Amino acid sequence: MSNPSETLIRIIDLHKSYYDGESELPVLQGIDLEIKTSELLAVVGASGVGKSTLLHIMGTLDRPTAGQVIYGEQDVFTLQDTELARFRNKEVGFVFQFHHLLPEFNALENVAMAALITTPSNKTIYEEAASLLEYVGLAERLSHYPSQLSGGERQRVAIARALINKPKVVLADEPTGNLDRRNSEAVHELLWDFNAKSGQTFVIVTHNSELAEQVDRVVQLVDGKVVL
Amino acid sequence: MKFEWFVASRYLRSRRKQSFISIISIISIGGVALGVATIILVIAVLDGVEHGLKDRFLSNEAHVALSIFDHSFFKGYQERIERIEAIENVVAASPVIFAQIGVFREHSNTIQDAIYIKGIDTAQEDEVTGFSTFVIGSTDFQNSELIEQAALINEGETITGGIILGGRLATRLGVMKGDVLRLLIKLVESPIDSSMLLPDLANFVVIGFYESEMEAYDNNFGFIHIDTAQKLYNQQNRVNFIFVRLTDAELAPQLATKIEAAADFTVLEGMPNARTWMEAQAALFSALQLEKIATVIIEALIILVASFNIASTLIMTVMEKTKDVGTLRTLGSSRGNIMRIFMIQGSVIGTLGTMIGTALGLSLCWLLRTNTQRPSYWYIIALVVPIVLQFLIASQHAMRNRGGWKFAVGVLWLIGIGFALYCAVRPISLVDLGLSQIYQMHQLPIKINWVFVIFINLLSFAICWLATLYPAWQAANLKPVEALQHE
Ligand SMILES: Nc1ncnc2c1ncn2[C@@H]1O[C@H](COP(=O)(O)OP(=O)(O)OP(=O)(O)O)[C@@H](O)[C@H]1O
Ligand SMILES: [Mg+2]
């Protein structure tokens, strides 16, 4: 386990603008942020301020207009597509507001998917996936397809999926934004559990003030910048 | 590739997990299969017709006809024949006097008809054109009984020799075996009045009929002995043609120049001209060739259309799966992974389609050329079974959700359709269609050209593979974030 006080992610002067023809829409305007290993971080801010955009760039799904994202010593945007994909596969887990499960695959396969990308299918992967599903309380639902699961169950599968490759960081974009109160709490419990159990770093974008109170640190975005 | 196969194979199936393969995949596969099957079948028929016609045509035709350009007579032909027969791949050569001649109608003192006369040496001609096999009656030009009888009947007239007439020509002229035919050799000045021309006639006794079923011969030709012809034209020890047979008719163009060289005509004799059977029948066979090229182009277009089908299927899948592509990218699939997933899908469709098409095309070829007793009508029952089961499955919820049932019915469908094809597809009789006279064949001929079958397979694979490139590339280049947010 890595040193809890160690910096895992460093974001330096990050800019992101969207362009529509000639006109520029600046969204992120110089984000500086350090995230420590095992930290449980919440990102809050008004709708449209650029929380999702920041999370996507942190997760290397999108490239910034300017600035750097450094994991350990690695400036990730110097990597080629294949290396970046490999990096994302190994080091980053995603949970979205909408579950984004693959409808053609059952719960077990959905959870195993990220591992199967790089490793030929084997029993260990499926055992690992099954134990994760068991942990999120879906031991009875392994062979169910997403369409056969409830909203809360789907989101729990999505959390299990984000963790299969034991990533250093899990990026969650309003993971409970689509759930009722009871389901939201169950999901939150799970996130805290994993954070405590495995020491993984969690960055959670949320509008939920209750949740924001339970984290290590809250980062607020205003006008494309971080205010503390 | 394991991962890509894992995802691609799932995408080939339908949403409902019970189905082995989705309807849209089946349609795409069917499109390719149909294209490949028809191209194999149509080309086999065209090849069959061409081959059949060539066979028929070459059965009594020399492969090369050597002459001097103006068809003038030359001597020393036996030596020339020996030299020609020494050429590799030459089977035999035979001396021929070939001319047009008038048939004289006695009572009206006019020329009834113009026919071709071929003066031949029976033994040598048999080697080249199989002459005797087509003759009904005697081939003994000099000593046939019929000649003696005719000489007795037509007392006082000199009989020059026997003649074998094309069967249909004989009918046209209204002559029968043993009849005397008067041929007009040339016109001579009358000994009494030099301004008057008299016909110099030769009398021939019809000793047999030539029945090759080749219109050009049966309707226009008469055969006489070469010695007789030489006397008739006053060309002792000379002929004007040498006919040549080769081990393989297709070698004719290559060997023509060698044959011309072997003939070794002097400058005084004239320029040699070795005419191949292809040149003689250029119109017919180049038409067949053109037809084949046109067919290949049209059929290749069918495969192209089928490949568009694959491309559009894939583009639709890519659009439908855009969000999932985004998800796969967040899970750490590279562009290459995504590209391969969709290329595998397209390639499986292309490969299955090509294989099924080839199997279907070859089976149809086999059914069309195999004359066996096949059950009629009973095949309906073979189709009734899967139809009934299909209805049952559609109506019984319990059965619908059982993959095993669907698979079993799928197999029964295959058996039913296969059996129905076996019963229904039979050799096509050209006699029934009234075409046997024109094509000189009893049933629609089928000839499978394996090199072409392999070529079409490769072509189909290549076209289908190319069709996957763009959609797969499109999927690979979806921006992860945009793909994720795709509705
Ligand atoms: N692909 C895009 N093209 C153009 N503009 C975009 C694009 N994606 C996002 N934006 C704009 O960037 C801004 C930030 O969007 P983002 O989704 O990051 O906001 P957010 O903070 O996550 O909001 P919410 O809390 O509502 O999810 C918005 O104004 C949005 O309109
Ligand atoms: Mg957002």
Side-chain angles (χ1 to χ4, degrees):
Chain A
M1 189 80 23
S2 39
N3 185 348
S5 60
E6 206 174 284
T7 299
L8 176 68
I9 310 170
R10 259 191 313 150
I11 298 169
I12 303 168
D13 196 25
L14 196 71
H15 289 260
K16 176 71 180 180
S17 299
Y18 290 106
Y19 295 91
D20 182 16
E22 288 295 285
S23 66
E24 178 186 356
L25 173 68
V27 178
L28 304 180
Q29 303 171 53
I31 303 273
D32 287 291
L33 193 60
E34 290 202 358
I35 299 166
K36 300 204 162 26
T37 302
S38 295
E39 200 171 6
L40 193 54
L41 187 80
V43 178
V44 297
S47 179
V49 75
K51 304 180 295 294
S52 297
T53 305
L54 176 63
L55 210 70
H56 291 150
I57 295 176
M58 280 173 70
T60 74
L61 290 176
D62 206 355
R63 285 176 185 266
T65 314
Q68 290 172 303
V69 174
I70 298 168
Y71 279 76
E73 300 293 305
Q74 177 72 58
D75 178 352
V76 290
F77 291 114
T78 61
L79 296 175
Q80 294 299 305
D81 175 73
T82 316
E83 298 162 323
L84 209 56
R86 180 60 67 99
F87 170 81
R88 206 182 297 138
N89 180 262
K90 293 285 174 223
E91 311 291 359
V92 190
F94 288 93
V95 182
F96 297 103
Q97 178 176 358
F98 302 101
H99 57 87
H100 286 301
L101 296 178
L102 301 171
E104 279 84 5
F105 299 87
N106 65 28
L108 189 68
E109 290 163 339
N110 261 292
V111 174
M113 193 62 73
L116 295 172
I117 291 174
T118 50
T119 323
S121 166
N122 63 54
K123 235 173 105 191
T124 351
I125 291 177
Y126 284 104
E127 278 168 7
E128 182 71 20
S131 75
L132 275 169
L133 280 170
E134 204 174 319
Y135 194 82
V136 300
L138 294 173
E140 309 297 312
R141 296 279 191 275
L142 302 188
S143 59
H144 280 57
Y145 286 78
S147 60
Q148 299 167 315
L149 297 170
S150 77
E153 287 168 340
R154 287 175 204 168
Q155 203 61 335
R156 281 185 273 159
V157 176
I159 291 169
R161 178 178 66 177
L163 294 161
I164 185 83
N165 277 347
K166 302 188 176 64
K168 289 208 180 74
V169 59
V170 174
L171 305 175
D173 193 352
E174 301 184 43
T176 58
N178 213 26
L179 300 179
D180 63 15
R181 195 186 159 83
R182 199 174 56 80
N183 271 309
S184 297
E185 275 165 11
V187 166
H188 292 156
E189 286 300 321
L190 274 175
L191 295 177
W192 312 155
D193 259 14
F194 277 114
N195 176 251
K197 190 173 75 136
S198 56
Q200 278 159 320
T201 307
F202 281 77
V203 179
I204 304 166
V205 170
T206 185
H207 286 293
N208 188 318
S209 49
E210 261 174 66
L211 181 128
E213 277 166 19
Q214 301 172 49
V215 297
D216 300 338
R217 184 157 63 115
V218 177
V219 170
Q220 187 166 16
L221 292 192
V222 176
D223 293 339
K225 291 202 163 97
V226 175
V227 292
L228 299 169
Chain B
M1 288 295 264
K2 281 266 174 60
F3 163 70
E4 287 91 336
W5 273 100
F6 178 55
V7 178
S9 62
R10 201 61 65 88
Y11 283 1
L12 278 165
R13 297 184 199 178
S14 69
R15 283 237 163 191
R16 281 177 296 152
K17 61 182 189 289
Q18 293 86 0
S19 278
F20 175 63
I21 196 158
S22 75
I23 287 292
I24 193 139
S25 311
I26 290 176
I27 290 172
S28 308
I29 291 170
V32 177
L34 222 58
V36 172
T38 50
I39 196 167
I40 287 175
L41 183 64
V42 171
I43 291 300
V45 171
L46 285 180
D47 272 350
V49 169
E50 184 179 337
H51 193 253
L53 281 181
K54 268 186 196 169
D55 255 13
R56 291 243 20 109
F57 176 74
L58 290 173
S59 65
N60 68 338
E61 181 75 19
H63 295 162
V64 178
L66 173 75
S67 67
I68 293 169
F69 248 97
D70 60 3
H71 297 175
S72 58
F73 285 80
F74 52 86
K75 58 180 192 292
Y77 59 84
Q78 288 302 1
E79 293 82 66
R80 296 188 211 267
I81 283 173
E82 274 166 34
R83 285 203 297 274
I84 289 168
E85 285 182 339
I87 298 171
E88 200 182 343
N89 289 321
V90 169
V91 175
S94 118
V96 169
I97 290 177
F98 186 59
Q100 227 180 349
I101 205 162
V103 176
F104 200 73
R105 190 190 296 239
E106 215 167 353
H107 29 86
S108 64
N109 227 18
T110 53
I111 292 171
Q112 184 183 2
D113 222 321
I115 66 168
Y116 289 106
I117 275 291
K118 226 177 143 183
I120 55 171
D121 177 303
T122 314
Q124 278 179 299
E125 187 65 14
D126 279 351
E127 300 276 310
V128 176
T129 61
F131 170 72
S132 298
T133 52
F134 300 105
V135 174
I136 297 168
S138 164
T139 56
D140 192 344
F141 289 109
Q142 320 283 48
N143 303 310
S144 167
E145 283 175 23
L146 289 167
I147 298 176
E148 284 165 31
Q149 285 168 18
L152 285 175
I153 295 165
N154 301 286
E155 208 180 336
E157 299 204 36
T158 30
I159 301 292
T160 314
I163 187 167
I164 292 169
L165 278 183
R168 297 181 57 146
L169 174 63
T171 314
R172 210 174 72 212
L173 295 175
V175 290
M176 291 191 291
K177 235 184 250 182
D179 283 0
V180 171
L181 198 69
R182 299 187 206 291
L183 299 182
L184 177 71
I185 308 305
K186 57 178 187 285
L187 294 169
V188 289
E189 282 178 14
S190 160
I192 306 156
D193 177 357
S194 64
S195 69
M196 219 169 95
L197 293 174
L198 291 177
D200 181 7
L201 298 174
N203 300 319
F204 284 88
V205 177
V206 179
I207 58 167
F209 300 119
Y210 186 78
E211 302 275 11
S212 67
E213 292 187 3
M214 292 297 292
E215 184 79 10
Y217 284 83
D218 297 2
N219 209 10
N220 295 303
F221 270 65
F223 299 85
I224 59 176
H225 195 270
I226 188 165
D227 296 344
T228 317
Q230 284 170 338
K231 270 185 224 132
L232 221 55
Y233 288 100
N234 206 14
Q235 298 283 359
Q236 270 70 26
N237 297 320
R238 290 160 191 260
V239 295
N240 61 354
F241 274 90
I242 292 175
F243 282 17
V244 186
R245 181 161 208 90
L246 311 173
T247 50
D248 179 357
E250 302 297 327
L251 293 172
Q254 286 147 260
L255 291 177
T257 41
K258 282 190 185 170
I259 290 168
E260 285 176 355
D264 196 22
F265 291 122
T266 65
V267 179
L268 276 179
E269 281 170 320
M271 288 283 288
N273 176 26
R275 193 170 154 84
T276 64
W277 62 273
M278 291 118 160
E279 287 169 305
Q281 290 295 321
L284 172 63
F285 288 104
S286 70
L288 278 174
Q289 204 60 35
L290 201 67
E291 191 179 20
K292 223 155 61 174
I293 291 169
T295 311
V296 169
I297 292 172
I298 290 167
E299 297 285 338
L301 286 177
I302 293 181
I303 297 183
L304 207 64
V305 170
S307 79
F308 276 115
N309 208 348
I310 293 183
S312 55
T313 302
L314 282 183
I315 288 171
M316 269 169 54
T317 325
V318 170
M319 285 193 331
E320 192 192 304
K321 302 285 185 230
T322 296
K323 213 167 151 183
D324 296 353
V325 169
T327 306
L328 286 167
R329 297 280 275 147
T330 67
L331 295 179
S333 306
S334 64
R335 282 205 187 108
N337 289 136
I338 302 293
M339 180 115 185
R340 282 190 288 276
I341 286 173
F342 288 97
M343 285 188 66
I344 286 173
Q345 257 197 88
S347 305
V348 167
I349 290 174
T351 307
L352 278 178
T354 307
M355 278 165 44
I356 292 172
T358 305
L360 185 66
L362 292 177
S363 308
L364 289 176
C365 285
W366 181 79
L367 289 173
L368 276 175
R369 77 170 182 203
T370 309
N371 279 300
T372 48
Q373 203 61 42
R374 317 242 177 95
S376 43
Y377 305 115
W378 288 100
Y379 63 81
I380 304 289
I381 289 175
L383 286 176
V384 165
V385 177
I387 288 172
V388 167
L389 280 172
Q390 194 76 57
F391 270 109
L392 262 176
I393 284 189
S395 57
Q396 301 287 299
H397 188 76
M399 283 168 94
R400 190 163 49 209
N401 288 328
R402 296 281 273 283
W405 268 108
K406 289 215 165 182
F407 185 75
V409 172
V411 170
L412 283 173
W413 267 116
L414 276 183
I415 294 173
I417 291 171
F419 189 64
L421 281 179
Y422 174 74
C423 299
V425 181
R426 297 155 192 235
I428 293 172
S429 164
L430 292 180
V431 180
D432 294 351
L433 292 173
L435 291 172
S436 63
Q437 279 297 318
I438 301 168
Y439 286 101
Q440 304 291 354
M441 294 167 220
H442 297 301
Q443 71 181 46
L444 192 71
I446 301 282
K447 186 168 184 284
I448 295 168
N449 180 344
W450 291 103
V451 176
F452 182 76
V453 170
I454 292 168
F455 165 75
I456 281 303
N457 269 263
L458 294 180
L459 184 77
S460 174
F461 283 133
I463 290 177
C464 293
W465 186 77
L466 284 176
T468 67
L469 281 184
Y470 174 71
W473 179 84
Q474 197 191 26
N477 281 289
L478 286 171
K479 293 216 164 71
V481 176
E482 285 171 24
L484 272 177
Q485 286 159 355
H486 183 88
E487 294 308 324

